[in-house]
Amino acid sequence: VHKDLNVPIAYPSATPLPSGTSNLSRKTTVAHASLFIPYWAIADQLPKDRQYDEFIYFGIAPMLEGVDRKEVGFSRVDDFFGMIPQGSKTLLTIRMTDTQRNLLILKNPKSQERIIEDSIVFAKDNHFDGIVLDLEIAAIPFDSLIKQVDTFTKLLYAKTKKNNLSLSLALYGDTFYRLRPFEVKTLVKNTDRVFIMAYDLHKSRGNPGPNFPLRGEDVYGYDLTKMADDFLKFIPVNKATVIFGMFGYDWIVDGRDKSTEVARPLTDLEINDKFLTACLYRNCVVKRDSQSSETQIRYTDDEGRNHIVWFEDTQSVSVKRKYLEERGISSFSFWASSYF
């Protein structure tokens, strides 16, 4: 549990979350490729050099009284559909990213029923093909909490099936490493698909490190190969979709490379413009790490402070995807539109 004290923070609309990669062209299109489109990252149109067969709207947010109809995610759904190709397969995300609110909801059966009913009505009214439950909880995995998560998921699954909707679950890539309150072997029975968030292993409030290293468990504590081992013990490969987070963090560090404050998240586009096209900072060194497959940048800012940046990019995704395909996984997703 002590490993989870540095939990992820929510990002405002101007900052990056996980998504696609720099140039996912026809050559790199996989058997199944989906794209998350957050309500704050809706543009006039998608880049034409990338292809996806599914688009995931992120999404609507619940309260104790049901889905929040005044929240901007609720109102931007028409903009989402105006952005994607007509006839595309679409999924709706239920954004449950506030731990304290989630704990209250999980203790309240009536609240759960209202949220489920509102979500299904919204999904059917807007002709979504299914729902993605993004239930994020940073809490000690007591048996009572694990049971509450199982019960809520089972109820949601039953209701979606009655309404001819699919249900997918989004789970942390470090679910097993940080002992989170998700019993995967039970949850997988009540879902059509599991989205594995293979990013944010090193938190903005922690010390610098790769987004989610391919290898290097002995150095970083965990890696993608171990993640695949853990999840594939319980999830059939045809139910698994791995999400790549196309972003990075910029940490200010001391003389021992320890973080001195909360890191700043950066999209791939921001990293490219700030460091890769032309790095104007002092002592700027860009180096790809062969073990993690990701890129590290070191530089000194105008105030003399040292920085370390780690980020996912097209090349690291390609290497990781190849490994996962060898393990039988052929479904991948990217977080998120406008970040790359």
Side-chain angles (χ1 to χ4, degrees), residues 250-252 264 266 274-275 279 281-285 297-302 305-309:
D250 184 339
W251 287 272
I252 297 174
R264 179 192 173 197
L266 297 170
K274 190 174 182 179
F275 303 107
C279 186
Y281 294 99
R282 289 183 291 137
N283 306 318
C284 190
V285 177
I297 301 172
R298 290 177 176 264
Y299 72 96
T300 304
D301 64 24
D302 294 337
R305 299 175 300 181
N306 292 323
H307 292 243
I308 295 178
V309 178

mmCIF file with all atom_site columns, all heavy atoms in Angstrom, residues 250-252 264 266 274-275 279 281-285 297-302 305-309:
data_model
loop_
_atom_site.group_PDB
_atom_site.id
_atom_site.type_symbol
_atom_site.label_atom_id
_atom_site.label_alt_id
_atom_site.label_comp_id
_atom_site.label_asym_id
_atom_site.label_entity_id
_atom_site.label_seq_id
_atom_site.pdbx_PDB_ins_code
_atom_site.Cartn_x
_atom_site.Cartn_y
_atom_site.Cartn_z
_atom_site.occupancy
_atom_site.B_iso_or_equiv
_atom_site.pdbx_formal_charge
_atom_site.auth_seq_id
_atom_site.auth_comp_id
_atom_site.auth_asym_id
_atom_site.auth_atom_id
_atom_site.pdbx_PDB_model_num
ATOM 1   N N   . ASP A 1 250 ? 7.453  16.023 -16.644 1.00 0.00 ? 250 ASP A N   1
ATOM 2   C CA  . ASP A 1 250 ? 8.659  16.838 -16.501 1.00 0.00 ? 250 ASP A CA  1
ATOM 3   C C   . ASP A 1 250 ? 8.863  17.084 -15.004 1.00 0.00 ? 250 ASP A C   1
ATOM 4   O O   . ASP A 1 250 ? 8.118  17.845 -14.384 1.00 0.00 ? 250 ASP A O   1
ATOM 5   C CB  . ASP A 1 250 ? 8.476  18.159 -17.256 1.00 0.00 ? 250 ASP A CB  1
ATOM 6   C CG  . ASP A 1 250 ? 9.728  19.034 -17.235 1.00 0.00 ? 250 ASP A CG  1
ATOM 7   O OD1 . ASP A 1 250 ? 10.584 18.843 -16.345 1.00 0.00 ? 250 ASP A OD1 1
ATOM 8   O OD2 . ASP A 1 250 ? 9.840  19.923 -18.100 1.00 0.00 ? 250 ASP A OD2 1
ATOM 9   N N   . TRP A 1 251 ? 9.866  16.411 -14.434 1.00 0.00 ? 251 TRP A N   1
ATOM 10  C CA  . TRP A 1 251 ? 10.165 16.551 -13.009 1.00 0.00 ? 251 TRP A CA  1
ATOM 11  C C   . TRP A 1 251 ? 11.322 17.530 -12.790 1.00 0.00 ? 251 TRP A C   1
ATOM 12  O O   . TRP A 1 251 ? 12.332 17.481 -13.518 1.00 0.00 ? 251 TRP A O   1
ATOM 13  C CB  . TRP A 1 251 ? 10.591 15.214 -12.410 1.00 0.00 ? 251 TRP A CB  1
ATOM 14  C CG  . TRP A 1 251 ? 9.531  14.186 -12.209 1.00 0.00 ? 251 TRP A CG  1
ATOM 15  C CD1 . TRP A 1 251 ? 8.730  14.008 -11.125 1.00 0.00 ? 251 TRP A CD1 1
ATOM 16  C CD2 . TRP A 1 251 ? 9.178  13.126 -13.126 1.00 0.00 ? 251 TRP A CD2 1
ATOM 17  N NE1 . TRP A 1 251 ? 7.910  12.927 -11.299 1.00 0.00 ? 251 TRP A NE1 1
ATOM 18  C CE2 . TRP A 1 251 ? 8.159  12.363 -12.520 1.00 0.00 ? 251 TRP A CE2 1
ATOM 19  C CE3 . TRP A 1 251 ? 9.632  12.757 -14.400 1.00 0.00 ? 251 TRP A CE3 1
ATOM 20  C CZ2 . TRP A 1 251 ? 7.578  11.259 -13.126 1.00 0.00 ? 251 TRP A CZ2 1
ATOM 21  C CZ3 . TRP A 1 251 ? 9.057  11.658 -15.025 1.00 0.00 ? 251 TRP A CZ3 1
ATOM 22  C CH2 . TRP A 1 251 ? 8.039  10.926 -14.394 1.00 0.00 ? 251 TRP A CH2 1
ATOM 23  N N   . ILE A 1 252 ? 11.207 18.375 -11.807 1.00 0.00 ? 252 ILE A N   1
ATOM 24  C CA  . ILE A 1 252 ? 12.345 19.151 -11.310 1.00 0.00 ? 252 ILE A CA  1
ATOM 25  C C   . ILE A 1 252 ? 13.018 18.304 -10.236 1.00 0.00 ? 252 ILE A C   1
ATOM 26  O O   . ILE A 1 252 ? 12.343 17.790 -9.339  1.00 0.00 ? 252 ILE A O   1
ATOM 27  C CB  . ILE A 1 252 ? 11.893 20.502 -10.721 1.00 0.00 ? 252 ILE A CB  1
ATOM 28  C CG1 . ILE A 1 252 ? 11.247 21.358 -11.815 1.00 0.00 ? 252 ILE A CG1 1
ATOM 29  C CG2 . ILE A 1 252 ? 13.077 21.243 -10.108 1.00 0.00 ? 252 ILE A CG2 1
ATOM 30  C CD1 . ILE A 1 252 ? 10.645 22.654 -11.292 1.00 0.00 ? 252 ILE A CD1 1
ATOM 31  N N   . ARG A 1 264 ? 5.181  18.224 -14.054 1.00 0.00 ? 264 ARG A N   1
ATOM 32  C CA  . ARG A 1 264 ? 4.242  18.777 -15.017 1.00 0.00 ? 264 ARG A CA  1
ATOM 33  C C   . ARG A 1 264 ? 4.008  17.773 -16.137 1.00 0.00 ? 264 ARG A C   1
ATOM 34  O O   . ARG A 1 264 ? 4.967  17.276 -16.734 1.00 0.00 ? 264 ARG A O   1
ATOM 35  C CB  . ARG A 1 264 ? 4.794  20.063 -15.621 1.00 0.00 ? 264 ARG A CB  1
ATOM 36  C CG  . ARG A 1 264 ? 3.869  20.681 -16.666 1.00 0.00 ? 264 ARG A CG  1
ATOM 37  C CD  . ARG A 1 264 ? 4.556  21.785 -17.447 1.00 0.00 ? 264 ARG A CD  1
ATOM 38  N NE  . ARG A 1 264 ? 3.716  22.239 -18.551 1.00 0.00 ? 264 ARG A NE  1
ATOM 39  C CZ  . ARG A 1 264 ? 4.145  22.931 -19.583 1.00 0.00 ? 264 ARG A CZ  1
ATOM 40  N NH1 . ARG A 1 264 ? 5.427  23.249 -19.674 1.00 0.00 ? 264 ARG A NH1 1
ATOM 41  N NH2 . ARG A 1 264 ? 3.317  23.311 -20.537 1.00 0.00 ? 264 ARG A NH2 1
ATOM 42  N N   . LEU A 1 266 ? 3.109  16.546 -19.902 1.00 0.00 ? 266 LEU A N   1
ATOM 43  C CA  . LEU A 1 266 ? 3.296  17.108 -21.231 1.00 0.00 ? 266 LEU A CA  1
ATOM 44  C C   . LEU A 1 266 ? 2.786  16.130 -22.279 1.00 0.00 ? 266 LEU A C   1
ATOM 45  O O   . LEU A 1 266 ? 3.063  14.931 -22.187 1.00 0.00 ? 266 LEU A O   1
ATOM 46  C CB  . LEU A 1 266 ? 4.778  17.394 -21.504 1.00 0.00 ? 266 LEU A CB  1
ATOM 47  C CG  . LEU A 1 266 ? 5.488  18.421 -20.624 1.00 0.00 ? 266 LEU A CG  1
ATOM 48  C CD1 . LEU A 1 266 ? 6.992  18.378 -20.901 1.00 0.00 ? 266 LEU A CD1 1
ATOM 49  C CD2 . LEU A 1 266 ? 4.943  19.813 -20.886 1.00 0.00 ? 266 LEU A CD2 1
ATOM 50  N N   . LYS A 1 274 ? 8.946  21.307 -27.743 1.00 0.00 ? 274 LYS A N   1
ATOM 51  C CA  . LYS A 1 274 ? 9.793  21.911 -26.722 1.00 0.00 ? 274 LYS A CA  1
ATOM 52  C C   . LYS A 1 274 ? 11.205 21.364 -26.706 1.00 0.00 ? 274 LYS A C   1
ATOM 53  O O   . LYS A 1 274 ? 12.164 22.095 -26.399 1.00 0.00 ? 274 LYS A O   1
ATOM 54  C CB  . LYS A 1 274 ? 9.135  21.701 -25.353 1.00 0.00 ? 274 LYS A CB  1
ATOM 55  C CG  . LYS A 1 274 ? 9.786  22.480 -24.216 1.00 0.00 ? 274 LYS A CG  1
ATOM 56  C CD  . LYS A 1 274 ? 8.964  22.325 -22.943 1.00 0.00 ? 274 LYS A CD  1
ATOM 57  C CE  . LYS A 1 274 ? 9.579  23.144 -21.804 1.00 0.00 ? 274 LYS A CE  1
ATOM 58  N NZ  . LYS A 1 274 ? 8.778  23.036 -20.560 1.00 0.00 ? 274 LYS A NZ  1
ATOM 59  N N   . PHE A 1 275 ? 11.364 20.076 -27.060 1.00 0.00 ? 275 PHE A N   1
ATOM 60  C CA  . PHE A 1 275 ? 12.673 19.437 -26.903 1.00 0.00 ? 275 PHE A CA  1
ATOM 61  C C   . PHE A 1 275 ? 13.231 18.775 -28.165 1.00 0.00 ? 275 PHE A C   1
ATOM 62  O O   . PHE A 1 275 ? 14.436 18.794 -28.379 1.00 0.00 ? 275 PHE A O   1
ATOM 63  C CB  . PHE A 1 275 ? 12.611 18.363 -25.800 1.00 0.00 ? 275 PHE A CB  1
ATOM 64  C CG  . PHE A 1 275 ? 12.166 18.869 -24.475 1.00 0.00 ? 275 PHE A CG  1
ATOM 65  C CD1 . PHE A 1 275 ? 10.907 18.574 -23.986 1.00 0.00 ? 275 PHE A CD1 1
ATOM 66  C CD2 . PHE A 1 275 ? 13.011 19.655 -23.693 1.00 0.00 ? 275 PHE A CD2 1
ATOM 67  C CE1 . PHE A 1 275 ? 10.496 19.031 -22.745 1.00 0.00 ? 275 PHE A CE1 1
ATOM 68  C CE2 . PHE A 1 275 ? 12.603 20.125 -22.456 1.00 0.00 ? 275 PHE A CE2 1
ATOM 69  C CZ  . PHE A 1 275 ? 11.342 19.819 -21.982 1.00 0.00 ? 275 PHE A CZ  1
ATOM 70  N N   . CYS A 1 279 ? 15.956 21.850 -28.931 1.00 0.00 ? 279 CYS A N   1
ATOM 71  C CA  . CYS A 1 279 ? 15.979 22.070 -27.487 1.00 0.00 ? 279 CYS A CA  1
ATOM 72  C C   . CYS A 1 279 ? 16.826 23.302 -27.190 1.00 0.00 ? 279 CYS A C   1
ATOM 73  O O   . CYS A 1 279 ? 18.026 23.329 -27.463 1.00 0.00 ? 279 CYS A O   1
ATOM 74  C CB  . CYS A 1 279 ? 16.552 20.845 -26.765 1.00 0.00 ? 279 CYS A CB  1
ATOM 75  S SG  . CYS A 1 279 ? 16.458 20.979 -24.965 1.00 0.00 ? 279 CYS A SG  1
ATOM 76  N N   . TYR A 1 281 ? 17.243 24.655 -24.171 1.00 0.00 ? 281 TYR A N   1
ATOM 77  C CA  . TYR A 1 281 ? 17.675 24.705 -22.774 1.00 0.00 ? 281 TYR A CA  1
ATOM 78  C C   . TYR A 1 281 ? 19.138 24.297 -22.646 1.00 0.00 ? 281 TYR A C   1
ATOM 79  O O   . TYR A 1 281 ? 19.700 23.622 -23.515 1.00 0.00 ? 281 TYR A O   1
ATOM 80  C CB  . TYR A 1 281 ? 16.806 23.778 -21.911 1.00 0.00 ? 281 TYR A CB  1
ATOM 81  C CG  . TYR A 1 281 ? 15.371 24.226 -21.816 1.00 0.00 ? 281 TYR A CG  1
ATOM 82  C CD1 . TYR A 1 281 ? 14.385 23.644 -22.618 1.00 0.00 ? 281 TYR A CD1 1
ATOM 83  C CD2 . TYR A 1 281 ? 14.996 25.220 -20.925 1.00 0.00 ? 281 TYR A CD2 1
ATOM 84  C CE1 . TYR A 1 281 ? 13.064 24.047 -22.525 1.00 0.00 ? 281 TYR A CE1 1
ATOM 85  C CE2 . TYR A 1 281 ? 13.666 25.634 -20.824 1.00 0.00 ? 281 TYR A CE2 1
ATOM 86  C CZ  . TYR A 1 281 ? 12.723 25.039 -21.636 1.00 0.00 ? 281 TYR A CZ  1
ATOM 87  O OH  . TYR A 1 281 ? 11.413 25.445 -21.546 1.00 0.00 ? 281 TYR A OH  1
ATOM 88  N N   . ARG A 1 282 ? 19.746 24.681 -21.549 1.00 0.00 ? 282 ARG A N   1
ATOM 89  C CA  . ARG A 1 282 ? 21.129 24.305 -21.290 1.00 0.00 ? 282 ARG A CA  1
ATOM 90  C C   . ARG A 1 282 ? 21.223 22.832 -20.913 1.00 0.00 ? 282 ARG A C   1
ATOM 91  O O   . ARG A 1 282 ? 20.308 22.266 -20.340 1.00 0.00 ? 282 ARG A O   1
ATOM 92  C CB  . ARG A 1 282 ? 21.714 25.158 -20.146 1.00 0.00 ? 282 ARG A CB  1
ATOM 93  C CG  . ARG A 1 282 ? 21.951 26.619 -20.527 1.00 0.00 ? 282 ARG A CG  1
ATOM 94  C CD  . ARG A 1 282 ? 22.585 27.373 -19.371 1.00 0.00 ? 282 ARG A CD  1
ATOM 95  N NE  . ARG A 1 282 ? 21.647 27.528 -18.252 1.00 0.00 ? 282 ARG A NE  1
ATOM 96  C CZ  . ARG A 1 282 ? 21.965 27.362 -16.974 1.00 0.00 ? 282 ARG A CZ  1
ATOM 97  N NH1 . ARG A 1 282 ? 23.187 26.992 -16.646 1.00 0.00 ? 282 ARG A NH1 1
ATOM 98  N NH2 . ARG A 1 282 ? 21.069 27.556 -16.036 1.00 0.00 ? 282 ARG A NH2 1
ATOM 99  N N   . ASN A 1 283 ? 22.346 22.235 -21.238 1.00 0.00 ? 283 ASN A N   1
ATOM 100 C CA  . ASN A 1 283 ? 22.647 20.843 -20.863 1.00 0.00 ? 283 ASN A CA  1
ATOM 101 C C   . ASN A 1 283 ? 21.551 19.874 -21.308 1.00 0.00 ? 283 ASN A C   1
ATOM 102 O O   . ASN A 1 283 ? 21.232 18.906 -20.612 1.00 0.00 ? 283 ASN A O   1
ATOM 103 C CB  . ASN A 1 283 ? 22.837 20.732 -19.341 1.00 0.00 ? 283 ASN A CB  1
ATOM 104 C CG  . ASN A 1 283 ? 23.867 21.705 -18.809 1.00 0.00 ? 283 ASN A CG  1
ATOM 105 O OD1 . ASN A 1 283 ? 24.915 21.894 -19.417 1.00 0.00 ? 283 ASN A OD1 1
ATOM 106 N ND2 . ASN A 1 283 ? 23.561 22.348 -17.694 1.00 0.00 ? 283 ASN A ND2 1
ATOM 107 N N   . CYS A 1 284 ? 20.965 20.129 -22.471 1.00 0.00 ? 284 CYS A N   1
ATOM 108 C CA  . CYS A 1 284 ? 19.851 19.321 -22.956 1.00 0.00 ? 284 CYS A CA  1
ATOM 109 C C   . CYS A 1 284 ? 20.370 18.026 -23.581 1.00 0.00 ? 284 CYS A C   1
ATOM 110 O O   . CYS A 1 284 ? 21.125 18.060 -24.564 1.00 0.00 ? 284 CYS A O   1
ATOM 111 C CB  . CYS A 1 284 ? 19.049 20.114 -23.968 1.00 0.00 ? 284 CYS A CB  1
ATOM 112 S SG  . CYS A 1 284 ? 17.493 19.325 -24.428 1.00 0.00 ? 284 CYS A SG  1
ATOM 113 N N   . VAL A 1 285 ? 19.968 16.899 -22.997 1.00 0.00 ? 285 VAL A N   1
ATOM 114 C CA  . VAL A 1 285 ? 20.402 15.596 -23.486 1.00 0.00 ? 285 VAL A CA  1
ATOM 115 C C   . VAL A 1 285 ? 19.180 14.711 -23.677 1.00 0.00 ? 285 VAL A C   1
ATOM 116 O O   . VAL A 1 285 ? 18.413 14.483 -22.740 1.00 0.00 ? 285 VAL A O   1
ATOM 117 C CB  . VAL A 1 285 ? 21.384 14.915 -22.511 1.00 0.00 ? 285 VAL A CB  1
ATOM 118 C CG1 . VAL A 1 285 ? 21.763 13.534 -23.024 1.00 0.00 ? 285 VAL A CG1 1
ATOM 119 C CG2 . VAL A 1 285 ? 22.623 15.778 -22.304 1.00 0.00 ? 285 VAL A CG2 1
ATOM 120 N N   . ILE A 1 297 ? 14.805 12.778 -21.166 1.00 0.00 ? 297 ILE A N   1
ATOM 121 C CA  . ILE A 1 297 ? 15.421 14.069 -21.491 1.00 0.00 ? 297 ILE A CA  1
ATOM 122 C C   . ILE A 1 297 ? 15.889 14.718 -20.195 1.00 0.00 ? 297 ILE A C   1
ATOM 123 O O   . ILE A 1 297 ? 15.141 14.780 -19.216 1.00 0.00 ? 297 ILE A O   1
ATOM 124 C CB  . ILE A 1 297 ? 14.428 15.009 -22.194 1.00 0.00 ? 297 ILE A CB  1
ATOM 125 C CG1 . ILE A 1 297 ? 13.919 14.385 -23.493 1.00 0.00 ? 297 ILE A CG1 1
ATOM 126 C CG2 . ILE A 1 297 ? 15.079 16.368 -22.483 1.00 0.00 ? 297 ILE A CG2 1
ATOM 127 C CD1 . ILE A 1 297 ? 12.800 15.168 -24.146 1.00 0.00 ? 297 ILE A CD1 1
ATOM 128 N N   . ARG A 1 298 ? 17.125 15.189 -20.209 1.00 0.00 ? 298 ARG A N   1
ATOM 129 C CA  . ARG A 1 298 ? 17.657 15.961 -19.089 1.00 0.00 ? 298 ARG A CA  1
ATOM 130 C C   . ARG A 1 298 ? 17.983 17.365 -19.583 1.00 0.00 ? 298 ARG A C   1
ATOM 131 O O   . ARG A 1 298 ? 18.526 17.526 -20.682 1.00 0.00 ? 298 ARG A O   1
ATOM 132 C CB  . ARG A 1 298 ? 18.916 15.306 -18.521 1.00 0.00 ? 298 ARG A CB  1
ATOM 133 C CG  . ARG A 1 298 ? 18.666 13.999 -17.779 1.00 0.00 ? 298 ARG A CG  1
ATOM 134 C CD  . ARG A 1 298 ? 19.974 13.368 -17.317 1.00 0.00 ? 298 ARG A CD  1
ATOM 135 N NE  . ARG A 1 298 ? 19.760 12.169 -16.539 1.00 0.00 ? 298 ARG A NE  1
ATOM 136 C CZ  . ARG A 1 298 ? 19.726 12.138 -15.203 1.00 0.00 ? 298 ARG A CZ  1
ATOM 137 N NH1 . ARG A 1 298 ? 19.915 13.266 -14.518 1.00 0.00 ? 298 ARG A NH1 1
ATOM 138 N NH2 . ARG A 1 298 ? 19.512 11.006 -14.569 1.00 0.00 ? 298 ARG A NH2 1
ATOM 139 N N   . TYR A 1 299 ? 17.663 18.359 -18.773 1.00 0.00 ? 299 TYR A N   1
ATOM 140 C CA  . TYR A 1 299 ? 18.013 19.737 -19.149 1.00 0.00 ? 299 TYR A CA  1
ATOM 141 C C   . TYR A 1 299 ? 18.031 20.631 -17.911 1.00 0.00 ? 299 TYR A C   1
ATOM 142 O O   . TYR A 1 299 ? 17.548 20.241 -16.832 1.00 0.00 ? 299 TYR A O   1
ATOM 143 C CB  . TYR A 1 299 ? 17.043 20.278 -20.193 1.00 0.00 ? 299 TYR A CB  1
ATOM 144 C CG  . TYR A 1 299 ? 15.652 20.604 -19.680 1.00 0.00 ? 299 TYR A CG  1
ATOM 145 C CD1 . TYR A 1 299 ? 15.312 21.905 -19.300 1.00 0.00 ? 299 TYR A CD1 1
ATOM 146 C CD2 . TYR A 1 299 ? 14.659 19.625 -19.595 1.00 0.00 ? 299 TYR A CD2 1
ATOM 147 C CE1 . TYR A 1 299 ? 14.038 22.213 -18.852 1.00 0.00 ? 299 TYR A CE1 1
ATOM 148 C CE2 . TYR A 1 299 ? 13.389 19.920 -19.149 1.00 0.00 ? 299 TYR A CE2 1
ATOM 149 C CZ  . TYR A 1 299 ? 13.083 21.224 -18.777 1.00 0.00 ? 299 TYR A CZ  1
ATOM 150 O OH  . TYR A 1 299 ? 11.817 21.524 -18.330 1.00 0.00 ? 299 TYR A OH  1
ATOM 151 N N   . THR A 1 300 ? 18.589 21.812 -18.062 1.00 0.00 ? 300 THR A N   1
ATOM 152 C CA  . THR A 1 300 ? 18.636 22.815 -17.006 1.00 0.00 ? 300 THR A CA  1
ATOM 153 C C   . THR A 1 300 ? 17.849 24.033 -17.455 1.00 0.00 ? 300 THR A C   1
ATOM 154 O O   . THR A 1 300 ? 18.077 24.543 -18.569 1.00 0.00 ? 300 THR A O   1
ATOM 155 C CB  . THR A 1 300 ? 20.093 23.234 -16.700 1.00 0.00 ? 300 THR A CB  1
ATOM 156 O OG1 . THR A 1 300 ? 20.856 22.058 -16.361 1.00 0.00 ? 300 THR A OG1 1
ATOM 157 C CG2 . THR A 1 300 ? 20.143 24.218 -15.545 1.00 0.00 ? 300 THR A CG2 1
ATOM 158 N N   . ASP A 1 301 ? 16.917 24.495 -16.638 1.00 0.00 ? 301 ASP A N   1
ATOM 159 C CA  . ASP A 1 301 ? 16.080 25.621 -17.049 1.00 0.00 ? 301 ASP A CA  1
ATOM 160 C C   . ASP A 1 301 ? 16.783 26.954 -16.785 1.00 0.00 ? 301 ASP A C   1
ATOM 161 O O   . ASP A 1 301 ? 17.927 26.996 -16.294 1.00 0.00 ? 301 ASP A O   1
ATOM 162 C CB  . ASP A 1 301 ? 14.707 25.563 -16.366 1.00 0.00 ? 301 ASP A CB  1
ATOM 163 C CG  . ASP A 1 301 ? 14.776 25.706 -14.846 1.00 0.00 ? 301 ASP A CG  1
ATOM 164 O OD1 . ASP A 1 301 ? 15.745 26.286 -14.323 1.00 0.00 ? 301 ASP A OD1 1
ATOM 165 O OD2 . ASP A 1 301 ? 13.842 25.215 -14.176 1.00 0.00 ? 301 ASP A OD2 1
ATOM 166 N N   . ASP A 1 302 ? 16.093 28.035 -17.109 1.00 0.00 ? 302 ASP A N   1
ATOM 167 C CA  . ASP A 1 302 ? 16.696 29.370 -17.003 1.00 0.00 ? 302 ASP A CA  1
ATOM 168 C C   . ASP A 1 302 ? 16.988 29.779 -15.562 1.00 0.00 ? 302 ASP A C   1
ATOM 169 O O   . ASP A 1 302 ? 17.770 30.698 -15.320 1.00 0.00 ? 302 ASP A O   1
ATOM 170 C CB  . ASP A 1 302 ? 15.769 30.406 -17.646 1.00 0.00 ? 302 ASP A CB  1
ATOM 171 C CG  . ASP A 1 302 ? 15.632 30.202 -19.150 1.00 0.00 ? 302 ASP A CG  1
ATOM 172 O OD1 . ASP A 1 302 ? 16.542 29.579 -19.730 1.00 0.00 ? 302 ASP A OD1 1
ATOM 173 O OD2 . ASP A 1 302 ? 14.612 30.654 -19.726 1.00 0.00 ? 302 ASP A OD2 1
ATOM 174 N N   . ARG A 1 305 ? 17.577 25.180 -12.489 1.00 0.00 ? 305 ARG A N   1
ATOM 175 C CA  . ARG A 1 305 ? 17.035 23.950 -11.910 1.00 0.00 ? 305 ARG A CA  1
ATOM 176 C C   . ARG A 1 305 ? 17.170 22.808 -12.913 1.00 0.00 ? 305 ARG A C   1
ATOM 177 O O   . ARG A 1 305 ? 16.913 22.985 -14.107 1.00 0.00 ? 305 ARG A O   1
ATOM 178 C CB  . ARG A 1 305 ? 15.565 24.135 -11.528 1.00 0.00 ? 305 ARG A CB  1
ATOM 179 C CG  . ARG A 1 305 ? 15.327 25.220 -10.488 1.00 0.00 ? 305 ARG A CG  1
ATOM 180 C CD  . ARG A 1 305 ? 13.851 25.439 -10.235 1.00 0.00 ? 305 ARG A CD  1
ATOM 181 N NE  . ARG A 1 305 ? 13.168 25.848 -11.471 1.00 0.00 ? 305 ARG A NE  1
ATOM 182 C CZ  . ARG A 1 305 ? 11.861 26.132 -11.529 1.00 0.00 ? 305 ARG A CZ  1
ATOM 183 N NH1 . ARG A 1 305 ? 11.105 26.045 -10.432 1.00 0.00 ? 305 ARG A NH1 1
ATOM 184 N NH2 . ARG A 1 305 ? 11.314 26.507 -12.676 1.00 0.00 ? 305 ARG A NH2 1
ATOM 185 N N   . ASN A 1 306 ? 17.531 21.635 -12.415 1.00 0.00 ? 306 ASN A N   1
ATOM 186 C CA  . ASN A 1 306 ? 17.684 20.468 -13.276 1.00 0.00 ? 306 ASN A CA  1
ATOM 187 C C   . ASN A 1 306 ? 16.344 19.744 -13.439 1.00 0.00 ? 306 ASN A C   1
ATOM 188 O O   . ASN A 1 306 ? 15.565 19.626 -12.487 1.00 0.00 ? 306 ASN A O   1
ATOM 189 C CB  . ASN A 1 306 ? 18.718 19.509 -12.700 1.00 0.00 ? 306 ASN A CB  1
ATOM 190 C CG  . ASN A 1 306 ? 20.113 20.097 -12.740 1.00 0.00 ? 306 ASN A CG  1
ATOM 191 O OD1 . ASN A 1 306 ? 20.472 20.795 -13.692 1.00 0.00 ? 306 ASN A OD1 1
ATOM 192 N ND2 . ASN A 1 306 ? 20.917 19.831 -11.719 1.00 0.00 ? 306 ASN A ND2 1
ATOM 193 N N   . HIS A 1 307 ? 16.105 19.246 -14.648 1.00 0.00 ? 307 HIS A N   1
ATOM 194 C CA  . HIS A 1 307 ? 14.856 18.567 -14.978 1.00 0.00 ? 307 HIS A CA  1
ATOM 195 C C   . HIS A 1 307 ? 15.136 17.199 -15.571 1.00 0.00 ? 307 HIS A C   1
ATOM 196 O O   . HIS A 1 307 ? 16.159 16.987 -16.229 1.00 0.00 ? 307 HIS A O   1
ATOM 197 C CB  . HIS A 1 307 ? 14.056 19.367 -16.016 1.00 0.00 ? 307 HIS A CB  1
ATOM 198 C CG  . HIS A 1 307 ? 13.506 20.657 -15.527 1.00 0.00 ? 307 HIS A CG  1
ATOM 199 N ND1 . HIS A 1 307 ? 12.156 20.922 -15.462 1.00 0.00 ? 307 HIS A ND1 1
ATOM 200 C CD2 . HIS A 1 307 ? 14.134 21.780 -15.099 1.00 0.00 ? 307 HIS A CD2 1
ATOM 201 C CE1 . HIS A 1 307 ? 11.970 22.151 -15.022 1.00 0.00 ? 307 HIS A CE1 1
ATOM 202 N NE2 . HIS A 1 307 ? 13.160 22.695 -14.797 1.00 0.00 ? 307 HIS A NE2 1
ATOM 203 N N   . ILE A 1 308 ? 14.186 16.277 -15.348 1.00 0.00 ? 308 ILE A N   1
ATOM 204 C CA  . ILE A 1 308 ? 14.186 14.983 -16.037 1.00 0.00 ? 308 ILE A CA  1
ATOM 205 C C   . ILE A 1 308 ? 12.796 14.764 -16.614 1.00 0.00 ? 308 ILE A C   1
ATOM 206 O O   . ILE A 1 308 ? 11.790 14.910 -15.912 1.00 0.00 ? 308 ILE A O   1
ATOM 207 C CB  . ILE A 1 308 ? 14.546 13.820 -15.094 1.00 0.00 ? 308 ILE A CB  1
ATOM 208 C CG1 . ILE A 1 308 ? 15.997 13.953 -14.597 1.00 0.00 ? 308 ILE A CG1 1
ATOM 209 C CG2 . ILE A 1 308 ? 14.361 12.481 -15.804 1.00 0.00 ? 308 ILE A CG2 1
ATOM 210 C CD1 . ILE A 1 308 ? 16.397 12.857 -13.618 1.00 0.00 ? 308 ILE A CD1 1
ATOM 211 N N   . VAL A 1 309 ? 12.751 14.434 -17.889 1.00 0.00 ? 309 VAL A N   1
ATOM 212 C CA  . VAL A 1 309 ? 11.496 14.130 -18.581 1.00 0.00 ? 309 VAL A CA  1
ATOM 213 C C   . VAL A 1 309 ? 11.549 12.684 -19.072 1.00 0.00 ? 309 VAL A C   1
ATOM 214 O O   . VAL A 1 309 ? 12.562 12.245 -19.614 1.00 0.00 ? 309 VAL A O   1
ATOM 215 C CB  . VAL A 1 309 ? 11.290 15.065 -19.795 1.00 0.00 ? 309 VAL A CB  1
ATOM 216 C CG1 . VAL A 1 309 ? 9.998  14.708 -20.535 1.00 0.00 ? 309 VAL A CG1 1
ATOM 217 C CG2 . VAL A 1 309 ? 11.282 16.525 -19.358 1.00 0.00 ? 309 VAL A CG2 1
#
